[in-house]
Amino acid sequence: MMSGFEEVGIAGSVHLREALTNCTDPLQAIEDFQSENGILLPTLQPALPLLDLHNIRRFEFHHSIMEELREKLISRTRELANSDTKGRFKTIEDLLSKCFPLIRVQSIQPVVLSIMKCLPKIPEKYLTVLVDDRSLYNVASIEVKQQIWQKNPSLFGDEVSPLLTDYIKTKEAVLFGSETLNSHMFFHVAPKTRRQGHVVQKLTGMVGKSVKLFDMVLQFLRTLFLSTRNMHYCTLRAELLMSLHDLEIHEICAEDPCHKFTWTLDACVRDKQVDDKKAKELQGFLDGIRRGQEQVLGDLSMILCDPFAIHTLATSVIRHMTGLINQDKLPRDSPDLTTLLRMLSLGLGAWDMLDSQHFKEPKLENDLVLKFLPALMGLLVDDQMRVVNRRLNDTSDLDDMKSVPAFLLKYIRRNRIGATLILYYVLHITSKRNKDALARILPFVVKTESDLSFNDIFLHPFVAQLSLLLEEFSSELFCEIIFDGFLLHGSSRENVARHSLRLVEFVFHKLPAGKLAKLQNALEPKPEHSQAVRDLYGSVMVKISAHTPSPTKVPEPIDSPLLSVPTPAPL
């Protein structure tokens, strides 16, 4: 392909066509064209017949020379771009103007693209050519595309959208997966490992050092979060910023007012707790927001809405309350607990804040600190006393349960913080294998504010923890508490059906036969369920059908030495 040669003063296809059209001897015209446009070195002419003797075609010779010159030119351009020479970028831009018409020549195209890559600001006229020609756009380097995207947000959106879709699918694959019984499978992966994922790394590379592109991605994430309420977009917001932090992209980290807060919170997620020192640091960030900067709260709330952040905060609240019990203190006596609740409130209220554009930190209700938390601490005290009582009385009946405070039950149905904390209390007692406490509270958490009890972020670790209580599922009563008393209430929902089937897949071989048959019938996909539920149901049923119970071993008779003693003769 010889397109563009004439524009740079080189005889190309147009010149050759005219020569062949107007000549009397085409072979002579071709020979003249070759001699005029070959490598014009006097010392080379005597060597060409030698190449002919070795059957080396002129095309191969010229092609090898072309490759060598191309690599040298690309290398020289890079050296010039990295040097401190004054006006080096002007020199590179002049070089680009001379060779850009040849960008469609395949052998020269890498040189043109390399020159463009070296320019921090490519003239608009060249970028327009790449945007209009998709084949050129596709082969452009990421550095060149970054300059295109800054001027074409819609084109950037087209590139980012499939990545965001893949990110959500990856998260859901983990939430609904059944590859391991790890009780914290979703929350177990360290933050630094999570952000090594394909999507985060790809987005990090696409953003580069461009604050404008980073802001575009954040706007995409805010918009998608508002339209879907999917908290995984909040996770990606935090992971992208920390990925840029790992690469020391100071141009962006210094501009993002949430950077230091996110960095500190990331350390808490890594350590799986918010200790007193980190709590004070995070409180300092919240208290340091000045008048006129309230909009920062919107981004902070989104970062706190990350399920990994909420999991860390809620777990820390339960742990902190256990510590207060041991110290004979009330929740109102702990400033660090108040800080945890403030951040939990911001995270759980992120969607409302972004939707209303009312950037003001919500006040904690007095009832939360003065009534709900003491009631929840009362449950924790009852659990501790029950364990001691069981040991002293050597019994494990499920019937010895006190009633749950009525205020607590009413509160979790109208307050999102209360609902979240009661669910993390459920996770706490399940991880402790406290089936008595579980039987006491679980039937009452079917109805919570925003139906948080049927949220994937709770159901995933809950089901995984239940799978570790394998032997308990041989009890009809325990099965009724878990399935009839809780999971089956939401089985018409897509996600609850999938989590319920996950649990059945883990424990079916321990379930009483009658209970298993009822569950198979109750969990059969409804018309409104997707193909994913139907496929999962089918695979679980196949696994149940293929299962062969271990045969009961009959003890072999033991040879007794008494059997070999002869019976004495009668007297």
Side-chain angles (χ1 to χ4, degrees), residues 20 31 45 91 93 105 112 167 202 211 238 246 303 332 334 360 425 439 443 466 504 533 543 553 556 560:
L20 291 172
E31 187 176 336
Q45 294 302 319
T91 302
E93 188 174 330
V105 180
V112 183
Y167 183 83
K202 180 76 173 177
V211 175
D246 293 340
I303 289 167
R332 64 189 179 191
S334 173
K360 186 176 182 181
Y425 164 72
L466 285 174
V504 171
V533 175
K543 191 171 291 187
K553 292 185 178 180
E556 298 178 1
S560 173

Side-chain angles (χ1 to χ4, degrees), residues 163-173 230 232-233:
L163 292 174
L164 302 184
T165 302
D166 288 345
Y167 183 83
I168 299 301
K169 288 180 178 178
T170 302
K171 291 294 182 186
E172 290 178 348
N230 195 319
H232 299 314
Y233 292 115

Side-chain angles (χ1 to χ4, degrees), residues 436-455:
D436 295 348
L438 189 59
R440 176 190 187 186
I441 191 64
L442 193 58
F444 298 109
V445 299
V446 173
K447 293 183 179 180
T448 56
E449 164 67 14
S450 303
D451 285 333
L452 290 178
S453 52
F454 293 131
N455 187 290

Side-chain angles (χ1 to χ4, degrees), residues 17-88:
R17 187 183 302 109
E18 290 179 354
L20 291 172
T21 302
N22 301 322
C23 72
T24 56
D25 185 355
L27 293 177
Q28 184 61 45
I30 294 174
E31 187 176 336
D32 293 342
F33 182 85
Q34 288 177 330
S35 61
E36 292 172 5
N37 296 283
I39 301 175
L40 303 179
L41 288 176
T43 55
L44 179 63
Q45 294 302 319
L48 292 179
L50 182 63
L51 295 177
D52 295 337
L53 290 174
H54 287 82
N55 293 323
I56 297 176
R57 297 170 59 198
R58 298 294 170 85
F59 171 78
E60 295 174 6
F61 169 69
H62 284 88
H63 184 70
S64 63
I65 296 296
M66 183 70 167
E67 287 184 340
E68 184 70 20
L69 291 174
R70 182 174 61 207
E71 294 305 317
K72 285 188 176 296
L73 184 55
I74 291 175
S75 176
R76 183 69 187 96
T77 305
R78 288 173 182 168
E79 290 175 4
L80 181 60
N82 295 327
S83 68
D84 295 329
T85 307
K86 186 178 180 180
R88 65 187 186 279

